[in-house]
Amino acid sequence: MAANNQHPSDRNSYTMKIWINSQKGEDRIIAHLGDTIYKCNPKANEVEQVAWGLGKGVLPDENMFGIPLSYISEIRWQEGKNYIQVFFRGSEEYFTVYDDTKRQEIFDYFKTLLPSFSTKTERKTAIQAGKKPLAALIVVGILCLVTLLFASTIESGTGYEFHGHGSLLVAVIGLASLGTKKVLLIFGGLLAIAGFSFARKAKHPPVIHRIIK
C-alpha cells in the first residue's frame, strides 16, 4: 500500500516510533505512525530530513511503503535472519535490520501494537531443520547403491541393452559403465555435499518467533 502525504487528524491519539538504520542493504527508516507501520528508503543524504518530517507526522511522497495494522495477519522473525517478515492480505513484506538488538526491539514493539494477537516461539528439531538435505542424502545414497550394483555386474561381464532414451535407468547404467571407482568418486562428492549441508542445518535448528492473528 502506498503511503499518502497526510497529517493525522487527531494528534492526541497519534502515536509514533521511528528507527533509523545506516548500513547498506538495510531499510533506512522503519516507523510506526498512528495505525500504520512503514518502511522508507530515501537517499542517504535525505534520511535525517525525512525522519524529522515523520516525527512531525508528514509522510514523504516517494520511497515509502505502509501497512495498516488492520491488514496484518502475522509478523514473523527467525533468529539469525536479518529481517522481520510482515504478512498481510495474502502478501508479505521484509523489514531489513542488521543490528540484532535493534531488530529484537522492533519485533517486541510490534507485539505491543497488536495486543489481540497471540505470540509463540517455534523451535525446530535437527531433523526438521535438515529435512531437505537429508532427503537428498537418502535419494543420492540409494542411486549410488543401485549404480554400484550395475557397475559391479558390468565389470563381471554382464551387458545391458538400452531401450528408450532419457529414462533414469538408462542414466544409471550409463554411469555404471564408467566403472565402480568413478561411480564412487561421482557419488562420493554428491553425498559429501548433501551430508555437509545436513550437518550444517541440523547443528543450528531455527528458532522462529511469531505474532499471529
Side-chain angles (χ1 to χ4, degrees):
M1 168 176 290
N4 52 22
N5 191 1
Q6 294 180 340
H7 289 271
S9 59
D10 183 359
R11 296 293 295 181
N12 292 328
S13 62
Y14 192 70
T15 59
M16 67 173 65
K17 182 75 174 179
I18 299 171
W19 295 269
I20 297 176
N21 305 307
S22 58
Q23 295 188 56
K24 184 178 180 180
E26 291 184 290
D27 287 313
R28 288 177 174 159
I29 299 175
I30 293 175
H32 160 235
L33 285 79
D35 62 354
T36 305
I37 58 174
Y38 296 94
K39 55 184 286 186
C40 184
N41 287 288
K43 295 178 182 178
N45 62 349
E46 297 177 353
V47 171
E48 293 296 334
Q49 178 183 350
V50 171
W52 182 87
L54 289 173
K56 300 296 183 180
V58 180
L59 306 183
D61 294 323
E62 56 184 18
N63 299 318
M64 189 81 165
F65 185 89
I67 307 173
L69 299 178
S70 60
Y71 287 12
I72 296 173
S73 58
E74 179 182 349
I75 299 178
R76 185 184 303 173
W77 166 48
Q78 179 176 322
E79 291 185 12
K81 300 293 186 181
N82 59 13
Y83 55 80
I84 296 171
Q85 290 172 273
V86 180
F87 297 84
F88 62 102
R89 293 201 167 184
S91 186
E92 63 181 282
E93 190 67 27
Y94 291 76
F95 288 66
T96 303
V97 182
Y98 291 163
D99 183 84
D100 294 339
T101 301
K102 185 182 293 184
R103 192 168 56 252
Q104 174 80 62
E105 177 189 336
I106 294 172
F107 184 81
D108 289 341
Y109 181 82
F110 284 172
K111 287 181 187 178
T112 67
L113 299 179
L114 303 164
S116 64
F117 283 36
S118 61
T119 59
K120 63 185 297 187
T121 298
E122 298 177 353
R123 300 179 185 276
K124 302 292 185 180
T125 65
I127 296 298
Q128 289 173 324
K131 181 171 61 177
K132 289 184 178 179
L134 179 60
L137 188 64
I138 293 172
V139 171
V140 172
I142 293 172
L143 286 174
C144 179
L145 291 175
V146 172
T147 306
L148 281 174
L149 177 61
F150 278 107
S152 179
T153 56
I154 289 173
E155 288 177 347
S156 67
T158 301
Y160 294 94
E161 294 184 5
F162 292 85
H163 298 284
H165 300 280
S167 70
L168 179 59
L169 182 59
V170 170
V172 168
I173 293 175
L175 285 173
S177 65
L178 298 175
T180 55
K181 290 184 178 180
K182 288 188 177 180
V183 168
L184 285 172
L185 285 174
I186 293 170
F187 280 99
L190 295 174
L191 288 168
I193 292 171
F196 175 78
S197 179
F198 171 73
R200 180 172 57 85
K201 289 181 177 295
K203 187 176 181 180
H204 301 288
V207 178
I208 304 172
H209 304 278
R210 303 174 66 189
I211 307 170
I212 311 169
K213 192 171 185 177

